[in-house]
Amino acid sequence: MVEIDDLHERTLLAPIAHTGRGFYWAVAGLSLLILWGVLAYLVQFSEGLGVTGLHQPVSWGFYVTNFVFFIGISHAGTLISAILRLSKAEWRRPITRMAEVITVMVLFIGAGQILIDLGRPDRLMNVIRYGRYQSPLLWDATSISAYMTASLTYLYLPMIPDIAILRDRLGKRKLLYSVLALGWTGTEHQQRVLNRAIAIMAVLVIPIAISVHSVVSFVFSMTLQPMWHSTIFGPYFVVGAIFSGIAALIVAMILFRKAYGLQDYLKPIHFRYLGQLLLIMALLWFYFTFAEYLTGYYGAEPEEMKVFWAKFTGPFWPFFWGMVLCNFIIPISCLVSLSRHTIGKVLAASLSVVVGMWLERFIIVVPTLSFPRLPFPQGIYSPTWVEWGETAGSFGIFALFYLLFTKFFPIISIWEIREGREGVKEVEERLISYLPGEIEEKT
Amino acid sequence: MALWGMVIDLDRCTGCQACVMACKAENNVPAVGAKEAKRGRIISWMQVLTETDEEHHGEKTRFIPRPCLQCDDPPCTKVCPVYATYRNPDGIVAQIYARCIGCRFCMAACPYNAKYFNWHTYQTEKPGQNPDVSVRPKGVVEKCTFCHHRLQKARERALAEKRDFDPNDYVTACAQACPAQAIVFGDLSDPTSAVSKLAASPRAFKLLEELGTKPKVIYLSEGEGRG
Amino acid sequence: MTRGALVRLILILIVIGVAVTWGYWTGLVESGTTQPIQFPHKTHLDLKLACTTCHYRAEKEAVAGRPPTALCLGCHMGGDTQSQEIKKLRAFGETGREIPWRRVWRLPSHVYFPHRVHVTIAEIKCQTCHGPMESLTRPPEAPLKILAMDDCIACHEKLKSPEGGGKAAAEATKMAARRISLDCITCHR
Amino acid sequence: MQFTRRGFLQALTATAGAAVLLKGRPSKVGQAAEDVERWATPEEIFVPSICQQCPGGCGLLVRTLDGEVAGISGNPLHPINRGTLCPKAFGGLQLLNDPDRLKGPMARAGERGSFRPIGWDEALKIVTARLSDLRTKELSHTVAVLGGQYRGYRDTLWTRFSEAYGTPNYIRVRCLAPEKPALAHHFMQGVTAPVGYDLAKAQLILSFGVSLLEAWLGPVHNAQAFARLRRSSERPRGWFIQVDPRRSPTAIKADRWIPIVPGTDGILALGIANAIIREGLYDREFVEEHTFGFEDWVDGSGKRHLGFKELVLRDYGLLAVSAATGVAVRSILEIARSLASIKPAVVIGERGPAYGADDLHTRMAIHSLNALVGNIGVPGGLLIQGELPLAPLPVAKKDEIAKRGLAQPRIDGAGEEQYLLTADTPQLLPERILKKNPYPVNALFLFATNPLANHPAKEAFAEAMKQIPFIVSFSPFLDESTAMADLILPDHTYLERWQDDQVTHLAGFTCFSLAQPAASPLHQTRNTADTMLGVAKALGGSVAESLPWEKYEELLREGVKGLFQAGRGYVTTLHAEESLRKVLERQGYWVPEFKDYDGFWKALLQRGAWWDPTGIPVSRKALLKTASGKFEFYSTALKEVVDKAVKREGKTGPFFSALGAGKEEDLLFLPAVPIAPAEETKSFPLRLNTYRLLSRPTGGGRNQPWLLEQPAVHVEASWEGWVEIHPATAAAAGIKEHDSVWVESAKGKIKLPAKLYSGTLPDIVHIPLFGGEGPNPNDLIGNETDIFRGFGLLNTTRVRIRRA
């Protein structure tokens, strides 16, 4: 082990250099979840989707809910980091990497939900061989793969200097880091090119991210089904996605802050800013939800109202009101004042939003299918252990991969922090440039 | 080109389900078994829906036999990512089992719930089945095809016998079986056909017409009234 | 044998094993079919018999089917014979049972392929799909040609196009008021 | 329907060879070892057959591919169904291919219920030895044959076998009524031929609990008639009123549903009569000229008798009727006015199970409405149907043993004492067998019946069967009764055998259907008719001489010759040809179609049926065959029967006592249904009404998954039985939809899922005679029967419910 001189580097590389007992416990726990998921999938693969609780009217359930949810979470990442980066918000520096990793991990898992949901996963290639561009599902495939590529690149580019640090400082995995570092030496030219590339990607990734979730919403809104067929769905989904993304990011930040002792890097101020962002999103989410349901209520189409009342007072009321509680009441009450117990409040709000947003996805997918227009024998959907297993496994895989990532790469960008510290002066200059110049009194 | 359509007279329909069973026998539709049925997975390409007017405490009940409505503007085909379902030139909404990836988007999109999914392997090939129709594997969506294989065979017969195809050679199993002759099948593009004449009746209406799906299954309402 | 050679041998065996298993599994390799009678197609076709002389159902029905025993006996009845195979044939004839031919050519069950249209209207040679059956001196153990959907499509596309459409296409169009179709449900069922 | 016609014509050419092909083809079992694979869509032959899923008698076209059944459709030429079918017909495919079918004969191995397979020769030897042993011991009468729901030559064969062998005990355990004229028709009109209803031409149908669109005789025929009532080009939309305790699918399709307390249909009919008479709406001309007993009358001895009018006006005031039936006075008046003003109207009151204890008078009361509005012998009213002109078979030879055996009383007591008028009284069987009264049963043959599941006295039957030393079952399935057998000689299912069907009900024409085997037998089963011919031959002597046919088809061929020689009717043909023939026949011409019987037989096999549409359907003369030549409100024929019985047994005799001694005597012969006082109902506050579903009217068919999966449309149900409860009743008992509910009667209790159904009176619960696996409503129903016909009372049991 090479001695690492830089204190910052030492702290940030510590999780990669040393592995504690907690890590193994976490891996073991998550592996159990994943094992459950794998087992569930194997059963489902051999027996057919019949092992789930899905049935004739309700042909979509947990998997599609998870799909929308995970794709939603993915917005955390890139979108926040990109926006903060473009707006040159200096407090972003310790956050961006975490956000970007969430995006990449969760995108794969979200896309995987569709694979799990397919009756014939062996024919997945048909989508590519015989794809039909009329189908919103194909738009999804396209935009998600574009988003995957973009966010992977966007994650990777700012990591190059850090990988080079790892290559130089860390004793192990020399080969891996050398390859990934792409010969980074930190020359000025390299710096310039990298910065340019990051900036371009940041610009690119925002429209792609928005398109992804709009397209996900189109899966529902392009049909004629009551409470799906809505023009508001695109922005509504995007807002929800950012909302849940921020929440997931905050949860991840707090967890790693605690686990890896990053208190110096992730300070209450970060959480306060993010908390305020979350508050804004909660209000925005409420606005969209209110508009959506009020419009439906006033239109009072019988078919819409069947689903509407099923959510308000019918069999889905716990989910609906649970969603309102988790997405609005709890976060608002936690976030209005962040002067004290910032981190605790933000964590509570974020956890609540993660749950609430999952409920929201569920409450969008299932009730509409449960109440068909025609007098069809109705059925209430209740998931089986297989669906719970695959859901748990999906979360498990996400957490495990995230954890493993932190064992290979620094979760907080070393060079960006350093750059931030070195660039205080530059920031000062920039600040001054925002302000009106000193007024020279005319004489 | 013919435009195949169906008229179902709800006043004549007795809710006997002969159409349902005829369809099952003709198209090798499996019985899914007690356990699966309880979970709401009965496959019934033709299904008799019972509509009860809640304001009248069940006094006004009607039976609506519902096949696939073979929409001219089908919501299901638009969403299929792999062309496993599409409207063919005859106006029949086709379902290609060998292509279907089982995403069930078409089921979610169909406002008539006319599409059914094979949640398990419900049956394999065995005696007593109709060899003209394949047995569907697990994981694909299936639905009424207007007994398209009968059209195939009728056409092919005409071709082999070197005569013109006669639209009367083609009738669906449900229309053939209906004891009250409430189901009439034929060519909607031919104004002289029985089905066209009935479709012009003042009693005629279409299910969920307001959705603009343009179904080719037309219903005749009950009660007094001409036609 | 050196250790390296042994390892190499084992590796090769594993590769072959995997390939063969995979082949069986995906149906590329089929286990050979043995027929009750070693029927020589060549001998019969050399006598200038047409395929449809015996497989006459191909002209009438969707499936060509096997010829009935009675048809075989039409020629092979009476007189002495040295051939074991003809004796077997006669033995089947005496019991009044059909010869239990095993099926070799088999389309997937979701495909509808009407022989009669292809034989009588389109006048496609049997060999186009079945391969050089006329050269066989004993029954094939496996199909001589394995057809994929693309083979069907290619032919239909060719004939459907105005320039490719020969007599067959014109006739088909006229007779059935329907062109040679590329519509999936024409063949999928 | 051009399609079917063309298809059929092609089928005809194909079937010409079918019979030849099927003849002598070894069964599939024989070839199974050879592993013959089907060569996909091989030779397609359509074979006409007959559906045996219910007594409807529909003609089938069975699609066969190289002898394997691959589909069923209606025979477009068959006059009963004209190419259409009901849902049950398609279950036939699953019945045929049921994996649980018996694969061959079985003999009991040790305990009852365990079996070993044996060969047919051995099995037949066992039966023959047993029968011939009993015969030599002069115990031929101790052999009982239990038959089920079938008709035609299979019935003829069993009757003949019983006679020749020498047993009076050929007893039918039926779930539906025999189609001989109903007693009410017989006593009021004097007819001996079956009576039908011209539903297709009626403008109003008033139905008393007849499940017209579900399980009533010929469902396809009924549905066609209903469709014509509803929509026909030549007349306005007809009216249909359904009186029923339950809003059945029939009631749903009716213009008006009148809920009624079960068993009070007769009272309602008399209430309607009251209203019609009071308002003077009845058909005066018909009543005056063609009826007897309307007004009070004086007989030869000067004794004054009560007339129908006086009876109705005196005893059936609308308030009393309304109180007893639960039908509002206003509704009664409205029905009466509709019935009297819309013509032609037909009142139907026929169904399998009895209306109540006083079934005969209830039916007479309902039927008297037809006379009141003059619907007898007019189009759209009642029809008479002729008998089939089948060739009489040579008289069965009875030797001395047979004669002595036949002289013994029947073990079930039918035709004696209070069961004077019934043909069969299976409900008495178990008790009498157990008591060995009047003699023990030494052998029991079970054919097409399963009393251990389908009879309310099923437990008693089980007990009784334990006493019988030798039981033979012919069932193709190992059902409850068959499990008790010592020997199983499995029958073919109906698509595999030669059979006939003689439809003489409902349709207004006579029709004979003939079916050859459509499929090669799948298993080592044998047509029971052939089995019994074989047994008779082996028994030798007069039994063999009475049943001289080698094969069942020879028997059929002999009987059918009568149709060829009758000089009327024809083998079904295309509609155009039929119309021409009808025109000719109306003018007195009848053109023979066939030169010889061979041609006739071949055509019958190819087309499936013979019929005579131009018999005597609309004829007042043929319909009124009483001594007076009039419709008798006051049945002199019934009086004659009663008087004879009284003369024989005295007024204390069982028959007269059962009729209701002590009643005003005239009331016995008039359609008088007593208005019973309200019952004490504390322990069992609810009434149980059982009913038959269209999908499984005979209660069987648990091997037909399609039908089990979607048995009904009025409630959502699948695979298991259910109990329909009024929402208010359910709420009072704390029962919610799909809850498990215990239904308890004095006899027993069963657990069923609840269906809340507002289509009922609140104090009645309804259970379908479902016939699948699981709880059997026969566990609740008492073994009660009506006095006259001896049919089970399936709707008089009282029950209570509680949440399980």
Side-chain angles (χ1 to χ4, degrees), chain A residues 45-50 52 54-56 59-60 117 119-120 123 126 130-132 134-135 219 225 372 376, chain B residues 39-41 47 77-81 83 85 97 99-105 108 110 113 115 119-120 138-139:
Chain A
F45 189 80
S46 65
E47 297 279 307
L49 274 165
T52 64
L54 300 169
H55 53 84
Q56 174 53 19
S59 51
W60 282 349
D117 188 54
R120 295 298 299 247
R123 294 187 185 154
N126 281 4
Y130 311 111
R132 169 196 232 157
Q134 225 177 9
S135 169
V219 167
Q225 304 296 24
F376 201 81
Chain B
R39 304 173 84 171
R41 291 175 181 165
Q47 186 161 5
T77 61
K78 290 181 205 162
V79 300
C80 177
Y83 282 102
T85 184
Y97 311 122
R99 174 69 65 83
C100 176
I101 59 168
C103 69
R104 310 188 297 295
F105 201 173
C110 175
N113 294 76
K115 299 220 164 189
W119 300 100
H120 287 291
K138 80 172 177 213

Side-chain angles (χ1 to χ4, degrees), chain A residues 30 33-38 388-398:
Chain A
L30 294 173
L33 282 188
I34 293 163
L35 199 67
W36 183 15
V38 169
W388 284 113
E390 280 170 34
T391 304
S394 301
F395 279 95
I397 287 186
F398 165 60

Side-chain angles (χ1 to χ4, degrees), chain B residues 1 83 86 88-90 92-99 125 130-136 148-149 151-153 155-165, chain C residues 59-62 108-118 120-121 123 149 167 171-179 181-189:
Chain B
M1 184 130 295
Y83 282 102
Y86 66 95
N88 93 338
D90 291 316
I92 291 172
V93 178
Q95 186 82 29
I96 308 299
Y97 311 122
R99 174 69 65 83
E125 283 181 59
N130 180 2
D132 299 341
V133 180
S134 64
V135 168
R136 276 78 60 190
H148 177 262
H149 56 282
L151 175 59
Q152 271 177 5
K153 287 185 87 181
R155 275 219 178 97
E156 184 229 311
R157 203 183 299 135
L159 200 58
E161 289 169 7
K162 299 196 193 297
R163 59 179 168 82
D164 280 337
F165 168 71
Chain C
E59 289 182 328
K60 299 199 315 184
E61 284 167 37
S109 65
H110 57 261
V111 177
Y112 177 66
F113 177 82
H115 269 89
R116 64 174 167 192
V117 176
H118 290 89
T120 61
I121 305 292
E123 291 174 7
M149 189 174 86
K167 173 180 164 281
E171 186 122 328
T173 309
K174 207 173 76 204
M175 297 306 300
R178 172 142 164 177
R179 292 168 196 288
S181 182
L182 284 168
D183 186 9
C184 309
I185 46 171
T186 309
C187 311
H188 279 278
R189 46 184 195 152

Side-chain angles (χ1 to χ4, degrees), chain D residues 32-336:
Chain D
E34 300 278 2
D35 183 29
V36 180
E37 289 179 61
R38 190 162 88 188
W39 285 60
T41 47
E43 200 158 6
E44 186 178 48
I45 296 172
F46 288 89
V47 188
S49 186
I50 316 162
C51 184
Q52 295 282 303
Q53 296 264 36
C54 83
C58 296
L60 301 178
L61 268 193
V62 183
R63 180 185 177 206
T64 68
L65 300 169
D66 268 0
E68 263 181 34
V69 173
I72 285 177
S73 56
N75 180 347
L77 301 185
H78 201 283
I80 299 280
N81 58 320
R82 294 283 177 202
T84 67
L85 287 174
C86 91
K88 295 185 293 288
F90 302 98
L93 288 170
Q94 293 182 319
L95 186 90
L96 174 72
N97 293 303
D98 179 8
D100 295 333
R101 272 181 64 180
L102 293 168
K103 307 287 189 288
M106 313 263 266
R108 183 174 134 187
E111 285 290 297
R112 281 217 152 131
S114 52
F115 294 96
R116 64 184 167 87
I118 56 167
W120 271 103
D121 290 343
E122 192 191 344
L124 288 181
K125 250 179 225 154
I126 297 174
V127 183
T128 317
R130 193 57 90 111
L131 285 179
S132 118
D133 179 48
L134 287 170
R135 214 168 129 79
T136 45
K137 286 182 187 155
E138 298 250 345
L139 288 171
S140 67
H141 60 281
T142 63
V143 175
V145 180
L146 286 194
Q149 190 82 44
Y150 52 87
R151 61 185 164 222
Y153 274 107
R154 275 175 299 160
D155 185 34
T156 312
L157 184 75
W158 277 111
T159 311
R160 205 172 171 80
F161 179 83
S162 310
E163 278 181 21
Y165 180 75
T167 173
N169 295 314
Y170 172 37
I171 300 158
R172 305 284 293 271
V173 191
R174 271 177 282 218
C175 42
L176 296 174
E179 298 92 23
K180 293 292 166 202
L183 279 177
H185 293 158
H186 176 69
F187 286 134
M188 300 182 99
Q189 290 176 226
V191 289
T192 50
V195 168
Y197 299 96
D198 197 0
L199 299 176
K201 291 207 180 93
Q203 194 63 31
L204 169 79
I205 298 176
L206 171 59
S207 143
F208 283 88
V210 170
S211 50
L212 190 72
L213 302 179
E214 295 141 86
W216 190 51
L217 305 175
V220 173
H221 193 78
N222 294 345
Q224 289 178 345
F226 169 81
R228 254 167 279 158
L229 174 91
R230 276 283 176 258
R231 295 283 159 193
S232 118
S233 49
E234 61 262 26
R235 62 197 169 95
R237 186 173 182 269
W239 257 69
F240 177 34
I241 303 170
Q242 175 77 354
V243 178
D244 204 323
R246 182 176 76 89
R247 194 169 58 232
S248 61
T250 308
I252 287 172
K253 290 309 292 185
D255 298 283
R256 189 154 186 192
W257 167 55
I258 309 287
I260 188 171
V261 173
T264 62
D265 301 68
I267 300 170
L268 178 66
L270 293 168
I272 294 168
N274 179 318
I276 290 177
I277 293 170
R278 244 178 231 289
E279 300 198 358
L281 297 173
Y282 61 95
D283 187 335
R284 280 172 203 279
E285 190 207 327
F286 183 86
V287 166
E288 274 163 28
E289 309 227 331
H290 298 289
T291 66
F292 166 75
F294 184 71
E295 304 284 352
D296 293 357
W297 56 287
V298 181
D299 67 10
S301 61
K303 193 174 165 200
R304 194 179 164 78
H305 291 278
L306 183 66
F308 179 72
K309 183 177 164 188
E310 185 56 30
L311 164 80
V312 165
L313 296 181
R314 187 188 76 188
D315 292 350
Y316 297 93
L318 295 193
L319 280 177
V321 168
S322 175
T325 59
V327 181
V329 171
R330 186 179 147 184
S331 301
I332 300 174
L333 283 170
E334 281 167 1
I335 298 170

Side-chain angles (χ1 to χ4, degrees), chain A residues 122-406:
Chain A
D122 53 320
R123 294 187 185 154
L124 182 70
M125 282 303 122
N126 281 4
V127 179
I128 293 161
R129 283 172 70 192
Y130 311 111
R132 169 196 232 157
Y133 260 91
Q134 225 177 9
S135 169
L137 217 54
L138 216 70
W139 309 346
D140 267 349
T142 314
S143 64
I144 290 174
S145 42
Y147 192 36
M148 270 181 188
T149 321
S151 52
L152 204 59
T153 318
Y154 186 57
L155 169 69
Y156 177 60
L157 288 178
M159 258 167 50
I160 295 173
D162 280 6
I163 294 171
I165 295 172
L166 287 169
R167 176 194 61 194
D168 301 337
R169 302 281 193 278
L170 209 64
K172 49 189 181 183
R173 306 186 202 111
K174 202 103 185 165
L175 186 65
L176 175 77
Y177 293 134
S178 321
V179 172
L180 287 179
L182 298 177
W184 177 269
T185 49
T187 63
E188 203 168 322
H189 175 70
Q190 281 178 334
Q191 288 278 13
R192 220 177 33 242
V193 172
L194 183 72
N195 281 335
R196 165 79 57 83
I198 292 173
I200 291 172
M201 283 317 296
V203 173
L204 261 183
V205 95
I206 293 172
I208 295 178
I210 289 173
S211 84
V212 166
H213 227 71
S214 303
V215 168
V216 166
S217 86
F218 290 169
V219 167
F220 304 97
S221 61
M222 294 288 161
T223 68
L224 292 167
Q225 304 296 24
M227 305 226 64
W228 279 6
H229 189 53
S230 162
T231 52
I232 206 178
F233 257 37
Y236 184 30
F237 269 50
V238 173
V239 164
I242 299 172
F243 188 31
S244 61
I246 296 172
L249 174 62
I250 293 172
V251 174
M253 281 166 66
I254 294 174
L255 283 179
F256 285 116
R257 180 178 189 260
K258 180 104 176 115
Y260 293 159
L262 302 174
Q263 285 83 350
D264 285 348
Y265 297 85
L266 300 171
K267 294 180 174 167
I269 182 77
H270 292 113
F271 294 100
R272 193 169 306 148
Y273 283 171
L274 279 174
Q276 280 159 359
L277 209 49
L278 195 65
L279 179 66
I280 292 165
M281 292 317 292
L283 292 167
L284 205 52
W285 175 88
F286 181 78
Y287 164 71
F288 270 101
T289 308
F290 180 75
E292 168 73 3
Y293 283 85
L294 186 71
T295 322
Y297 177 74
Y298 253 69
E301 276 181 61
E303 307 306 337
E304 292 256 325
M305 291 319 283
K306 253 197 323 202
V307 182
F308 181 91
W309 289 119
K311 294 184 187 185
F312 269 65
T313 55
F316 294 98
W317 73 266
F319 304 101
F320 181 82
W321 293 112
M323 165 190 88
V324 173
L325 184 75
C326 292
N327 275 353
F328 189 65
I329 297 169
I330 295 179
I332 293 290
S333 49
C334 289
L335 299 175
V336 273
S337 154
L338 285 173
S339 49
R340 290 202 299 150
H341 307 298
T342 313
I343 293 179
K345 282 179 179 172
V346 171
L347 179 65
S350 300
L351 283 172
S352 150
V353 167
V354 169
V355 174
M357 279 311 293
W358 191 91
L359 286 176
E360 194 225 33
R361 303 322 190 183
F362 183 80
I363 209 81
I364 285 171
V365 175
V366 176
T368 292
L369 291 173
S370 303
F371 292 87
R373 281 195 169 85
L374 295 180
F376 201 81
Q378 291 164 8
I380 293 301
Y381 165 72
S382 64
T384 61
W385 70 272
V386 174
E387 285 151 294
W388 284 113
E390 280 170 34
T391 304
S394 301
F395 279 95
I397 287 186
F398 165 60
L400 182 68
F401 279 22
Y402 206 134
L403 197 58
L404 289 178
F405 180 89
T406 64

